[in-house]
Amino acid sequence: TLSLSGGYGAATLSMKRDPLNIKQGGSEFPLILGRDVSGVIMECGLDVKYFRERDEVWAAVPPWKQGSLAEFVVLSANEVSHKPKSLNHTDAAAIPYVATTAWSALVNTGGLTKDNCAKKRILILGGSGGVGTFAIQMLKAWGAHVTVTCSQNAEQFVRGLGADHVVDYTAVPVEKPLSALEKFDLILDNVGGDTERWALNLLKPWSGAKYVTLVTPFLQNTDTLGIADGMIQTAATVATKALKHLAKGVHYRWGFFAPSGPALDEIREMVDAGQIRAVVEEAFSFSQVPQALEKVEKGHARGKTVVQISKGGDE
């Protein structure tokens, strides 16, 4: 969200919003920030079959649509899901975006399911943020063994979410203690940077092991080079990396957020079954949005920061 407010991804997202370039103004502002929403349906389109007015729902707003820091949000029916009954709106709003991002990375890209996760060894690089805290809980609910990297002062926090093993990335070069561990079936990288230089060596070779990174240059490429050249550069980069690592017996993949009502339906069942809880670090009122954004910009998150648009009836 903060990156989008600075113009990150403007070239690609403006094409998605306006593919025929009908709006010639050239500005994406005013831009409504916020990707998560939990609230009550005020009105449905005529073709909407599975929702009706007054239903309590949650959703992850696609980045090519205006965001959720507003009194009203417009979404497609396939992006919406009924909210877990066990959560109020404040807690529910901490889950959809990180849940669908983790689901896309681990399930769609990583090939994991609740039926094939038992005893798999998973490494999450950067586990104390929103995506990491959700991924830990989902993977543990599915029976995986989960190792997490985070700072020392977040160790008890991620262990409380179910992490089996925690490595402090601030003590020594983190690759050293990780290299001493048994190799992994899948790595989820929320950190990026030079992690790719050493992290792929931690995977089990020639066993279908996957490295899935959520830190990709796709939007930066299209911002810098334009849509066509940016996509060509991106395709060349991922193809080169995938082939290089495939020769070593591991699969290299990029993960992306994908809005999905059906995925949120499955996640709702896990929440209501007590397998996943919302991790809200701090809640702000709508008038405190600048302070909330400033807090998020500082990083080192312990879960999610939530903004309450209205306290009337907890909506």
Side-chain angles (χ1 to χ4, degrees), residues 16-80:
K16 179 69 177 178
R17 292 183 186 122
D18 183 22
L20 299 179
N21 199 28
I22 294 170
K23 301 173 184 176
Q24 298 288 336
S27 174
E28 285 295 296
F29 298 95
L31 176 68
I32 300 175
L33 302 175
R35 295 297 114 202
D36 296 281
V37 61
S38 181
V40 176
I41 292 178
M42 301 302 292
E43 189 174 331
C44 291
L46 295 175
D47 295 331
V48 175
K49 299 177 182 178
Y50 302 109
F51 301 96
R52 58 189 177 190
E53 290 180 16
R54 307 307 300 169
D55 279 356
E56 294 192 336
V57 295
W58 63 347
V61 182
W64 52 86
K65 292 187 177 182
Q66 291 286 23
S68 59
L69 289 178
E71 290 182 285
F72 300 98
V73 181
V74 179
L75 288 162
S76 302
N78 63 354
E79 297 161 352
V80 177

Side-chain angles (χ1 to χ4, degrees), residues 209-277:
K210 295 183 178 68
Y211 175 90
V212 182
T213 177
L214 291 169
V215 185
T216 77
F218 174 64
L219 292 180
Q220 184 177 358
N221 282 347
T222 55
D223 282 346
T224 305
L225 303 173
I227 298 296
D229 290 344
M231 292 183 74
I232 291 171
Q233 176 65 54
T234 299
T237 300
V238 72
T240 300
K241 290 185 177 184
L243 287 171
K244 181 178 78 171
H245 296 300
L246 190 60
K248 299 177 182 178
V250 297
H251 298 274
Y252 176 93
R253 299 282 188 272
W254 284 352
F256 295 95
F257 159 73
S260 173
L264 286 174
D265 289 342
E266 295 198 45
I267 292 159
R268 177 188 68 234
E269 294 180 9
M270 298 175 74
V271 171
D272 281 338
Q275 296 174 311
I276 291 174
R277 65 179 175 89

Side-chain angles (χ1 to χ4, degrees), residues 152-187:
Q152 184 180 19
N153 59 15
E155 178 173 351
Q156 290 305 115
F157 169 66
V158 296
R159 285 193 185 277
L161 295 172
D164 297 286
H165 189 76
V166 181
V167 177
D168 175 12
Y169 69 77
T170 63
V172 293
V174 72
E175 57 264 40
K176 290 185 178 179
L178 288 174
S179 298
L181 301 176
E182 183 183 339
K183 291 191 181 295
F184 297 94
D185 296 287
L186 185 141
I187 296 174

